[in-house]
Amino acid sequence: MLSPPGRRMLAPSLLSADFSDLASAVRAAERGGADAFHLDVMDGHFVPNISFGPALVKAVRRRTTLPLDIHLMISEPGRYLAEFAKAGGTTLVMHIESQGDHKALVKVARDLKVRPGIALSPDTPLESVVPLLSELDELTVMGVYPGFSGQQYIPSTTGKLRQARRLIQDSGRSVDLSIDGGITVETAREATMAGANFFVCGSSVFGGPGSPEDNLRALRGSIADGPR
Ligand code: DX5
Ligand code: ZN
C-alpha cells in the first residue's frame, strides 16, 4: 500500500499560455481552480529551447498569490537561485543532471527561504536522488524529455513514479511528488494511481479542447480517485 501523498495540486505551466497576455492566463487558471503555477526556465544550453528568466517570474508574482513552482532547466542553477527566490519563486526545482553540488544547493535554497526541489529527466535513474531525498520538499519526475510543451507522456514514467512514491514513503518525510510533461486527463489518472500528488499541465490546460477553466476542471476530476 502506498503512503498517503500530500494534497493533490494542479499546476498549470505558463509555457503553453499566450505570452502576450499572461495576466489573463493566470486569471483563467485561477478561476479553474489552479493550486499553483509552474514556470519553465530554459537557458538554451541545458535544453535546446530558451524561455524566460527571473523578470517574468517577478511579473507573474505580481499577478497571483498562488505558489510558483520554478523549473530550472539551466546548466548552472547555483548561479541563479538567489535571483529566482527574490523574484518570488516558492519552490526552486533543479535538475539532478545540471552542474553543481546539489546537496549544497538544496541548502542554499533553504537558506533563501524557498522550498528545494529536484527534477529527473526520463533517462536518469531514481537512485541518483536517494541521498538527497530527506532534504527535499519536491521531487519532479519528467514524463517527457525537458525542453518543450505538448509532447507525449513516456509510458515507463508511471513505474518510476510508483518507485519514487515508495522511496518517499521510506524516507518518512512528506515530499511532493510532481509529474511534469504529457499530462492529460488519462495520464493524470495513471500518475495519481502511481502516487503523484503534484500535476504540471501545460498544453492540456492552455491548448486543450475547452477553456483553461473547463480543462482544469476535467483534470481535477481525473485526479480525484486513487490512493490516499
Ligand atoms: C517541458 C516542461 C513542461 C511543459 C509541460 O520541458 O518542463 O513543464 O511545460 O507541457 P505539457 O503539459 O504540454 O507536456
Ligand atoms: Zn516544467
Side-chain angles (χ1 to χ4, degrees), residues 63 181 211 217:
R63 298 288 175 170
S211 65
R217 284 181 206 119

Side-chain angles (χ1 to χ4, degrees), residues 88-184:
T90 309
T91 308
L92 301 186
V93 183
M94 299 169 259
H95 266 265
I96 195 77
E97 306 86 6
S98 65
Q99 292 167 31
D101 173 347
H102 295 97
K103 195 155 192 156
L105 293 179
V106 163
K107 181 160 183 335
V108 170
R110 281 257 178 251
D111 291 344
L112 289 165
K113 307 272 180 265
V114 294
R115 301 170 80 242
I118 289 286
L120 272 90
S121 289
D123 295 338
T124 306
L126 272 167
E127 284 68 31
S128 58
V129 294
V130 171
L132 283 174
L133 208 54
S134 59
E135 326 281 334
L136 301 181
D137 284 336
E138 182 176 315
L139 176 63
T140 301
V141 171
M142 295 301 300
V144 300
Y145 288 94
F148 300 92
S149 61
Q151 303 179 73
Q152 283 227 334
Y153 182 83
I154 300 169
S156 59
T157 310
T158 305
K160 201 171 179 182
L161 284 172
R162 219 172 275 124
Q163 197 192 343
R165 176 50 68 190
R166 258 183 241 120
L167 288 173
I168 290 170
Q169 183 175 27
D170 292 347
S171 80
R173 288 195 68 249
S174 139
V175 179
D176 283 324
L177 179 56
S178 167
I179 171 66
D180 182 9
I183 286 300
T184 61

Side-chain angles (χ1 to χ4, degrees), residues 14-15 19 38-42 50-57 84:
L14 293 175
L15 190 64
F19 278 17
H38 180 87
L39 284 89
D40 289 301
V41 177
M42 305 183 186
I50 298 177
S51 58
F52 49 75
L56 189 127
V57 173
F84 282 104

